[in-house]
Amino acid sequence: MNVARYFDEMSYAPAPESDSEARAWLKRHAEGFHHVIGGALVPPTDGARFDSVAPATGEVLARIAQGDAATVAAAVAAARKAQAPWFKLGGHGRARHLYALARAVQRHARLLAVVEALDNGKPIRETRDIDVPLVARHFYHHAGWAQLQEREFPDHGPVGVIGQIIPWNFPLLMLAWKIAPALALGNTVVLKPAEFTSLTALLFAEIAADAGLPPGVLNIVTGDGATGAALVAHPDVDKIAFTGSTEVGRMIRAATAGSGKSLTLELGGKSPFIVFDDADLDGAVEGVVDAIWFNQGQVCCAGSRLLVQESVAPVFLDKLKRRMATLRVGHPLDKTMDLGAIVAPVQLERIQRLVAIGVAEGAALHQADVELPQTGCFYPPTLLSGVQPSATVACEEIFGPVVVSMTFRTPDEAVALANNSRYGLAASVWSETIGLALDIAPKLQVGVVWINATNLFDAAVGFGGCRESGFGREGGREGVLEYLKPKAWAGRKPRVVAAPPTARRVEQRFATPALDRTAKLFIGGKQARPDGNHSRPVLSPKGVPLGEVGEGNRKDIRNAVAAARAADGWSRATAHNRAQILYYLAENLSARADEFAARIAAMTDAPPAKALAEVEAAVARLFSYGAWADKYEGVVHTPPLRGVALALNEPIGVVGIVCPDEAPLLAFISLVAPAIAMGNRVVVTPSERHPLAATDFYQVMETSDLPAGVVNIVTGASADLAKTLAEHDDVDALWVFNSAEVSAMAERLSVGNLKRTLVDNGLLTDWHDPAAAEGRIFLPHAVQVKNVWIPYGE
């Protein structure tokens, strides 16, 4: 065949990448791989190993060590031993180590890319041109954070020993996403790679050791789900960072409840890919190729739901089908291939089963007419069109090269369809009208939005989701904070709960009795009687009756959450407007300072001066959050591409708050104010023992222009109300400052919708100390960061 014929036919000849170096490395470990613990190679208990199989051929590449609880314990002990000296090395010392890791990755880039392609099945073009360069980028970027740590985060310290569990779809890249920030900030790591794809983690451990990383700083324990469970359960692990399925994420949330472990979860997705009628349709078609057929669709943020405006849908789908016909599926080491192999037979069977369900439910099936290899796990690029929003394939994550398409007529309908999912990871918006695209982006309930682009990633730009896609961020400043803890909370002592007072009768004789006044609940801007028509007495520490409050129940919480959900205009209000109302609340509270001080003194037996100081501190705290309301803003990232990424601090939604008994007014304000300052609406249960300060405060709210439903107050038994809030799937986050038992229950029961939790585990906060109870220590918990990518240029 001559050159002219190639140009005439535009056909491809095989372009295999050499795997000789990778094969030589595998041959050196022909007897089986060991765990890497404390800088040493540790053989598996009783010689237990399993096969690592090449998805493209079914060939056994290596034998991998099976970890057990004893192995995990040894790795955690090694990490604990190394953590203090690693942190004491200082930011500059750690920066130099991370810089060395970045350089080592670049030196071994081709070996890493080939091993990844062999082990995972993804095309060499992706591992070579995307995964490995991003790995190096993460180490370079986080070397910078290590260098700046003392100046940028002086009030925070490292979390400690981090247990990390990564998936099989991006084995090496997920390793870098997790260990780079952890190590940069002075933590040490025990990492468990996916059972299917452990090889690049083991190769990286060798490279890291050669680069001089101290023993015990990075430990690799391989194994199956039981190994991961042992890591999650280990009591000396301070944080779990998990990327994987939503089902396993729920199990981890339940397993860590009450343990005090920090937790970040990056879970599944069913991301919308929205094409408006003014989009560059040819560009959008290429976007679909990158969105769903990149890495064979085995991407948590894959654009697997294609939403096309009705007027251009026939033309767009026709263009997409023609483009599908040009895609090539084959051996991952062939540089001409667009799609490689599915990771394992079990995943291939899942894809086939879900596609069959989609067809049975009425979807039209179109598959690219491509030649598939005779061996290995391969699946053709697939389009299911005419899919109903409630169809199984529109709701369930397929995690394969399958896109489902639907149509919409108006922008509002596009948003409604896009948000019609229990997931909330990412979205793509395609329109030549940038105003339209930027109007749609904030309305999408996701953590990442790409404008006229898809699957853009960078170490400087946070990545993560909301709802059942998990919580927490990786990358960016917000990702760094996930591996730090506030110094002001480090020395908190367990809360000591005094026995409740015994009520004593106050003899009235024949004096004129005081008018009875029972404080009601405050729901939707109105005082409301409790559903059960029960009340509870409020006693002084000496047992003197001070009044009564309503006994809230499950239905009252339901009504309060509904009122908070309906008050979404508060989340859309300007930050300036929210600031004005917070100042107005402070003004009106200050005008009644003596009254509130008397109430606090009566409830707590505090001296009058101390009670008044609490009121004045609450006034100051409202002023502080009035100040923060329009100043805790996002940033503009400049990743290494022609474009920017807007990191927007968005309200979480409806936040449930359970207040402690100490400092009943100040703690109430300290928890409610940051939430509403950032645009959230709250359902708050005040101090169980001293609730009258909060019920008095709703009179302040009624006269301060606070919109109805923004703050809803339900009094009663804290544990019972916390349970209902934790179980309520329309509550987006839950803050619990109460007993250790209530904290554990809240975390355990939050798994239904995987709501974000902030709990104190029964540890006492000094509410008068601004370092422990005000400002940036709470504000990150009151927002979720949405990164909107905006490429520019032709």
Side-chain angles (χ1 to χ4, degrees):
M1 182 179 287
N2 56 38
V3 173
R5 185 174 172 186
Y6 276 122
F7 276 102
D8 289 338
E9 296 182 359
M10 295 298 290
S11 58
Y12 292 92
E17 174 73 28
S18 171
D19 63 357
S20 58
E21 188 178 353
R23 295 288 179 181
W25 176 73
L26 291 171
K27 188 175 181 180
R28 290 199 295 273
H29 297 277
E31 295 183 0
F33 282 90
H34 294 350
H35 308 290
V36 181
I37 298 174
L41 298 179
V42 178
T45 304
D46 299 327
R49 286 190 168 86
F50 56 90
D51 292 340
S52 182
V53 177
T57 62
E59 164 199 10
V60 175
L61 295 172
R63 297 278 292 160
I64 307 296
Q66 171 63 45
D68 57 12
T71 312
V72 168
V76 172
R80 178 62 66 194
K81 181 180 179 181
Q83 195 272 317
W86 173 246
F87 177 62
K88 290 178 181 177
L89 187 61
H92 177 63
R94 293 193 301 277
R96 292 179 65 151
H97 276 291
L98 266 73
Y99 176 78
L101 290 174
R103 295 289 286 164
V105 166
Q106 291 178 319
R107 285 196 302 274
H108 297 280
R110 191 54 59 96
L111 173 61
L112 288 164
V114 173
V115 172
E116 189 83 321
L118 284 172
D119 199 29
N120 171 271
K122 63 174 64 182
I124 184 67
R125 289 191 305 165
E126 293 178 8
T127 62
R128 180 195 63 197
D129 299 339
I130 299 174
D131 293 17
V132 174
L134 271 175
V135 169
R137 163 71 174 151
H138 271 268
F139 284 105
Y140 278 125
H141 179 79
H142 287 96
W145 280 123
Q147 182 71 29
L148 300 175
Q149 180 178 359
E150 287 90 347
R151 281 157 289 185
E152 289 295 311
F153 305 103
D155 299 326
H156 288 75
V159 174
V161 173
I162 314 296
Q164 299 179 329
I165 303 172
I166 59 174
W168 46 258
N169 56 338
F170 289 92
L172 184 62
L173 183 55
M174 291 298 100
L175 174 148
W177 277 26
K178 284 188 164 48
I179 70 170
L183 300 189
L185 280 305
N187 305 281
T188 51
V189 167
V190 178
L191 181 133
K192 192 202 87 69
E195 180 181 2
F196 290 149
T197 54
S198 303
L199 291 180
T200 45
L202 295 166
L203 174 55
F204 180 84
E206 291 185 17
I207 292 171
D210 290 343
L213 192 69
V217 171
L218 172 63
N219 306 274
I220 307 290
V221 177
T222 52
D224 57 14
T227 311
L231 181 57
V232 169
H234 198 286
D236 205 27
V237 171
D238 300 301
K239 173 186 172 68
I240 294 294
F242 172 76
T243 296
S245 72
T246 297
E247 293 74 19
V248 176
R250 280 198 175 94
M251 295 167 61
I252 292 174
R253 168 70 287 177
T256 57
S259 67
K261 289 183 173 72
S262 176
L263 179 64
T264 52
L265 300 174
E266 197 265 282
L267 308 176
K270 194 70 179 176
S271 299
F273 187 105
I274 307 170
V275 181
F276 286 97
D277 58 7
D278 66 340
D280 173 357
L281 297 186
D282 291 322
V285 165
E286 293 306 311
V288 174
V289 172
D290 289 338
I292 190 60
W293 294 308
F294 170 59
N295 198 27
Q296 299 73 251
Q298 299 172 135
V299 184
C300 53
C301 56
S304 55
R305 285 189 296 147
L306 175 59
L307 311 179
V308 187
Q309 198 153 17
E310 193 173 86
S311 57
V312 296
V315 174
F316 185 82
L317 292 181
D318 185 58
K319 288 176 175 286
L320 181 60
K321 290 175 182 177
R322 291 202 302 270
R323 180 66 176 90
M324 289 170 67
T326 68
L327 296 174
R328 291 169 55 81
V329 182
H331 196 284
L333 290 185
D334 187 338
K335 292 187 285 287
T336 70
M337 294 301 160
D338 300 297
L339 282 79
I342 305 300
V343 72
V346 65
Q347 181 62 19
L348 179 60
E349 291 165 7
R350 171 182 167 81
I351 296 167
Q352 293 167 336
R353 176 172 52 81
L354 285 170
V355 169
I357 291 173
V359 173
E361 292 180 350
L365 172 66
H366 177 81
Q367 292 184 319
D369 185 17
V370 297
E371 183 178 351
L372 299 181
Q374 297 300 307
T375 59
C377 298
F378 293 91
Y379 197 79
T382 299
L383 166 66
L384 293 172
S385 56
V387 173
Q388 298 300 312
S390 60
T392 301
V393 291
C395 301
E396 297 298 324
E397 187 178 30
I398 299 174
F399 223 64
V402 181
V403 63
V404 302
S405 73
M406 293 165 271
T407 61
F408 65 89
R409 292 184 178 178
T410 66
D412 286 345
E413 186 181 0
V415 171
L417 284 170
N419 290 338
N420 182 37
S421 171
R422 66 182 188 271
Y423 298 109
L425 190 52
S428 293
V429 180
W430 292 75
S431 171
E432 291 296 283
T433 306
I434 193 65
L436 172 62
L438 292 178
D439 179 57
I440 294 296
K443 298 175 182 178
L444 300 175
Q445 295 173 9
V446 296
V448 181
V449 179
W450 296 292
I451 305 295
N452 294 325
T454 192
N455 280 339
L456 299 178
F457 309 102
D458 186 63
V461 184
F463 181 86
C466 57
R467 300 193 287 185
E468 293 190 29
S469 290
F471 47 78
R473 295 293 183 265
E474 295 182 292
R477 187 184 185 94
E478 59 267 35
V480 168
L481 284 171
E482 300 287 355
Y483 289 95
L484 294 170
K485 62 183 180 183
K487 292 178 180 177
W489 285 358
R492 292 185 296 180
K493 305 297 183 184
R495 181 180 286 109
V496 178
V497 180
T502 301
R504 62 184 180 89
R505 186 181 299 276
V506 178
E507 189 173 345
Q508 294 286 348
R509 295 186 180 274
F510 291 100
T512 302
L515 290 175
D516 177 73
R517 179 173 178 271
T518 299
K520 299 181 180 68
L521 313 181
F522 189 68
I523 296 175
K526 299 178 181 179
Q527 299 181 36
R529 295 186 186 279
D531 170 76
N533 270 327
H534 294 296
S535 62
R536 58 167 46 215
V538 180
L539 306 176
S540 76
K542 296 176 181 176
V544 176
L546 302 175
E548 295 189 0
V549 295
E551 185 73 73
N553 64 17
R554 178 179 57 83
K555 290 185 178 179
D556 296 310
I557 292 290
R558 178 199 65 189
N559 295 338
V561 172
R565 184 61 64 187
D568 58 348
W570 180 252
S571 297
R572 298 192 301 272
T574 65
H576 171 65
N577 177 253
R578 295 197 296 268
Q580 284 183 299
I581 291 174
L582 283 158
Y583 289 135
Y584 200 9
L585 287 167
E587 175 188 336
N588 287 334
L589 176 60
S590 181
R592 298 173 59 180
D594 291 340
E595 174 191 339
F596 274 84
R599 178 71 88 181
I600 292 169
M603 289 189 300
T604 65
D605 264 359
K610 184 176 180 181
L612 184 60
E614 181 177 339
V615 179
E616 293 299 334
V619 171
R621 197 133 295 164
L622 285 167
F623 252 75
S624 292
Y625 286 111
W628 276 115
D630 60 357
K631 297 174 185 65
Y632 191 67
E633 301 175 303
V635 298
V636 179
H637 296 300
T638 54
L641 57 78
R642 295 190 66 193
V644 295
L646 310 179
L648 308 177
N649 286 337
E650 294 189 336
I652 299 168
V654 175
V655 178
I657 299 175
V658 180
C659 296
D661 286 332
E662 67 271 7
L665 177 64
L666 181 56
F668 174 88
I669 295 298
S670 297
L671 293 169
V672 169
I676 65 174
M678 295 297 102
N680 301 285
R681 298 88 71 195
V682 304
V683 177
V684 55
T685 70
S687 162
E688 180 177 334
R689 188 170 294 184
H690 312 304
L692 293 175
T695 57
D696 288 350
F697 190 75
Y698 65 57
Q699 298 171 7
V700 174
M701 294 191 292
E702 288 175 319
T703 59
S704 302
D705 296 337
L706 187 72
V710 174
V711 177
N712 304 273
I713 301 173
V714 181
T715 53
S718 295
D720 294 342
L721 298 176
K723 179 177 185 293
T724 302
L725 285 167
E727 292 175 330
H728 201 304
D729 284 350
D730 221 17
V731 174
D732 302 300
L734 180 58
W735 299 359
V736 174
F737 285 71
N738 205 270
S739 69
E741 293 75 19
V742 174
S743 292
M745 176 190 66
E747 290 184 323
R748 185 174 64 254
L749 297 181
S750 71
V751 299
N753 66 340
L754 283 170
K755 57 177 64 67
R756 287 173 59 177
T757 58
L758 172 63
V759 303
D760 69 356
N761 293 299
L763 301 177
L764 187 65
T765 299
D766 181 356
W767 298 104
H768 288 270
D769 179 8
E774 182 182 303
R776 290 187 181 275
I777 203 163
F778 276 107
L779 288 169
H781 299 283
V783 299
Q784 55 192 8
V785 181
K786 175 184 287 181
N787 279 281
V788 181
W789 291 72
I790 310 172
Y792 50 71
E794 295 295 328

